[in-house]
Amino acid sequence: MNTEKIAARRLSLDEVTKLGMKDKLFVSADTAELRLPGCYVPAFLTKSGEDFEGGSITARTVFQEEVSCLPDDENEAGIYVADETGPETIEVLQSAGVVLDLALFVPNGDKGALSALYAAARQAFGADVVQIWRQGLKEVPDVKVDIFEEQVPRGRKGGDSPKRDRRAIDTYPTRADFIEFTPGWKPVVEIHKPVVDDTPTI
């Protein structure tokens, strides 16, 4: 297990409420997934500290787990920030690497192309290191599409037409699964229509 000892300071609830979502914290690694008492992981608040109600705070760790705690409860591990002059030393779990969950488009991809792709990854990182946990392969048609996001209509019917923004052009809507759409907006996929500039020229 790869850990690092750092000087840190425990925050009170009042101090946590003054933090934003980009402030780096350390929360307990003793979760349902990890079970590591006495160890901490880097995390960020799920919303600004001032927006939490009551004494419970929720943070999302860099390993994508959500952890809730009561900072002022002495029976809980609490929330820490790095502080060179901090009165305590905590043990922080380090990352071993990342698991890639991505959509990779291989033009005219066949078994030979995929084997070459995996061989290149293993050559770069080591044959015993690169492991394929899940492989979802599907053929995609040769069709270009526009991916828009459109405001979800609410309230009155027959009002103004909903606003629409183009997010991407893609060869089939594979990317739509990975785009984070704006809250209150929905994805719309249409056949790509090139923009034609019909401005008269001299």
Side-chain angles (χ1 to χ4, degrees), residues 10 40 68-71 73-79:
R10 181 168 175 156
Y40 289 79
S68 294
C69 77
L70 299 165
D73 189 337
E74 293 181 2
N75 297 319
E76 292 202 9
I79 291 178

Side-chain angles (χ1 to χ4, degrees), residues 98-137:
V98 295
V99 175
L100 293 178
D101 187 2
L102 49 78
L104 191 62
F105 174 61
V106 182
N108 301 316
D110 55 19
K111 192 172 181 180
L114 293 174
S115 296
L117 185 67
Y118 299 145
R122 289 192 172 103
Q123 186 176 356
F125 299 104
D128 296 332
V129 176
V130 175
Q131 299 176 37
I132 302 159
W133 294 98
R134 183 174 61 241
Q135 178 177 271
L137 302 178

Side-chain angles (χ1 to χ4, degrees), residues 1 61 101 113 173:
M1 190 168 73
T61 74
D101 187 2

